[in-house]
């Protein structure tokens, strides 16, 4: 697992209080990990802070799985 | 009860009578406060009177760039922001047939849109810390309506509806969103009424007196407190019984 994937996983586990082994690449935040829509907004805020990146609303809407987040952040991260 | 020591608050419109009363009360309950308004010298005088735990943040809410900068400035001055009091408001009273687009828009911009933008900005930190109070000062007019105040009434009703929607969104995050709706409060405007006019208004107020700023401020302090954590999406009417809603 990449460094980005590890950091994303840590944030998701902490924020949603889910078991680490459920946070897999194709896990959907809402359908598989029990997030509500406000959780997804908070996750995006947490990713922004962790990776020093701004995630525009239209990009945020495309981040629905753990893998989506990892791929977006690998491409756009600053830190 | 209603102890606010260690909490931080931003009060807009703190140069007006009601805003000053709210600022004084929150400060007296122990909160560190940032006071905002258009007249810097009035803010400064209030700050000097209150002493410690007060920061002056002059701001013109009719200017979007100043609105945008206000919450970050308050967070920088206070460390974080626990309580936002959207108190600032203006009137541009006109009979409907005479109301210009600008009379409408300027009242909506300052009373409603600035409140929305400040709440949105304050929410980020509140969500992270899982605690927050957003309190908007509305008016009995937002519920009853009033001739000559279509713009003002719409702005206040808008704040109330906005607050309910936001309360539903963030209730699970320890953030409450409420309104306080004053009735007839002693102000330069009520002072200008003659005795006959005052008498007429008073007959419609069961409490038999006009309200004072402190009557409203006490309700704000309650809603800001930990004791009010189960009160959200509500409007607390403070009008001496003038309208029972």
């Amino acid at each position: 697992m990449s460094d980005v994937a590890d950091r994303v996983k840590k944030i998701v586990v902490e924020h949603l209080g889910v078991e680490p082994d459920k946070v897999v690449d194709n896990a959907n935040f809402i359908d598989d990990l029990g997030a509500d829509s406000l959780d997804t907004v908070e996750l995006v805020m947490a990713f922004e802070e962790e990776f020093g990146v701004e995630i525009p609303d239209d990009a945020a809407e495309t981040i629905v799985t753990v893998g989506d987040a990892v791929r977006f952040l690998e491409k756009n991260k600053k830190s | 009860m209603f102890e606010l020591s260690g909490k931080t608050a931003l009060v807009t419109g703190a140069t007006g009578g009601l805003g000053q009363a709210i600022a004084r009360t929150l400060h007296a309950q122990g909160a560190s406060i940032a006071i905002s308004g258009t007249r810097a010298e009035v803010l400064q005088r209030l700050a000097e009177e209150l002493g410690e735990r007060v920061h002056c943040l002059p701001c013109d809410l009719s200017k979007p760039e100043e609105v945008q900068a206000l919450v970050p400035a308050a967070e920088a001055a206070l460390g974080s922001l626990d309580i936002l009091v959207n108190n600032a408001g203006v009137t541009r009273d006109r009979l409907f047939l005479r109301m210009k687009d600008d009379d409408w828009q300027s009242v909506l911009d300052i009373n409603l849109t600035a409140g929305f933008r400040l709440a949105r900005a304050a929410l980020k930190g509140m969500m992270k810390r899982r605690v927050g109070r957003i309190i908007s000062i509305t008016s009995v007019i937002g519920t009853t309506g009033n001739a000559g105040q279509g713009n003002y009434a719409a702005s206040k009703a808008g704040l109330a509806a906005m607050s309910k929607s936001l309360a539903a969104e963030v209730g699970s995050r320890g953030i409450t969103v409420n309104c306080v709706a004053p009735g007839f409060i002693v102000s330069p405007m009520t002072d200008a009424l003659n005795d006959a006019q005052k008498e007429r208004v008073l007959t419609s107020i069961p409490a038999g007196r006009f309200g004072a700023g402190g009557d409203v401020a006490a309700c704000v302090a309650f809603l800001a407190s930990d004791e009010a954590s189960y009160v959200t999406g509500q409007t607390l009417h403070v009008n001496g019984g003038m309208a029972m809603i």
Side-chain angles (χ1 to χ4, degrees):
Chain A
M1 234 187 203
S2 70
D3 163 62
V4 170
D6 283 342
R7 286 154 75 192
V8 165
K9 186 169 175 175
K10 186 161 179 282
I11 289 171
V12 174
V13 168
E14 269 172 21
H15 188 86
L16 299 178
V18 290
E19 293 299 322
D21 57 3
K22 289 205 172 131
V23 187
V24 292
D25 193 72
N26 62 353
N28 182 297
F29 292 119
I30 292 175
D31 296 336
D32 301 320
L33 301 175
D36 63 19
S37 57
L38 193 56
D39 287 318
T40 62
V41 175
E42 286 186 306
L43 281 172
V44 166
M45 278 165 51
F47 295 148
E48 288 179 329
E49 196 164 303
E50 169 71 20
F51 294 94
V53 56
E54 193 164 326
I55 305 177
D57 289 347
D58 54 348
E61 281 167 21
T62 66
I63 299 177
V64 297
T65 67
V66 174
D68 294 336
V70 172
R71 281 185 291 279
F72 178 89
L73 292 164
E74 276 177 341
K75 214 191 299 175
N76 296 284
K77 75 184 170 103
K78 296 209 178 65
S79 58
Chain B
M1 292 282 268
F2 317 145
E3 174 70 36
L4 300 176
S5 294
K7 297 193 192 300
T8 56
L10 167 63
V11 181
T12 66
T15 48
L18 194 49
Q20 293 205 12
I22 293 166
R24 277 179 222 279
T25 300
L26 296 182
H27 186 263
Q29 294 305 107
S32 295
I33 60 173
I35 50 178
S36 174
T38 47
R39 289 171 292 161
E41 68 286 357
V42 180
L43 294 176
Q44 202 54 49
R45 270 205 300 282
L46 179 60
E48 279 163 20
E49 182 201 314
L50 293 176
E52 293 179 351
R53 294 184 281 115
V54 184
H55 303 267
C56 296
L57 302 175
C59 177
D60 181 347
L61 294 182
S62 68
K63 302 199 170 102
E65 65 280 8
E66 293 195 22
V67 176
Q68 200 184 349
L70 183 56
V71 167
E75 288 174 334
L78 298 165
S80 61
L81 184 60
D82 300 319
I83 303 157
L84 168 65
V85 184
N86 279 323
N87 166 71
V90 295
T91 55
R92 292 269 289 265
D93 297 356
R94 294 263 189 287
L95 290 175
F96 229 83
L97 284 170
R98 297 257 175 264
M99 193 172 287
K100 305 281 181 282
D101 284 1
D102 186 55
D103 296 324
W104 173 270
Q105 197 59 49
S106 62
V107 168
L108 268 288
D109 283 349
I110 293 173
N111 294 11
L112 179 58
T113 306
F116 153 67
R117 291 189 171 129
L118 294 174
R120 182 179 58 185
L123 269 178
K124 268 199 166 181
M126 291 178 177
M127 296 249 294
K128 273 190 202 146
R129 288 178 296 111
R130 292 289 190 267
V131 62
R133 298 282 185 267
I134 295 173
I135 301 162
S136 296
I137 308 304
T138 59
S139 167
V140 66
I141 300 304
T143 302
T144 63
N146 195 28
Q149 293 197 298
N151 48 1
Y152 182 76
S155 72
K156 296 302 191 179
L159 274 176
M162 177 191 87
S163 298
K164 291 181 197 177
S165 304
L166 181 53
E169 282 186 28
V170 299
S172 62
R173 302 303 195 267
I175 301 167
T176 69
V177 190
N178 291 289
C179 297
V180 175
F184 235 105
I185 303 298
V186 174
S187 68
M189 187 181 74
T190 54
D191 292 344
L193 299 175
N194 64 36
D195 285 351
Q197 287 170 318
K198 278 186 186 165
E199 204 50 50
R200 210 165 42 243
V201 174
L202 282 173
T203 58
S204 68
I205 303 176
R209 65 172 177 91
F210 294 128
D215 293 321
V216 178
C219 295
V220 174
F222 163 64
L223 290 171
S225 72
D226 289 340
E227 285 84 350
S229 65
Y230 201 54
V231 181
T232 194
Q234 307 300 317
T235 291
L236 187 42
H237 288 270
V238 189
N239 61 32
M242 176 185 174
M244 302 188 192
I245 298 137

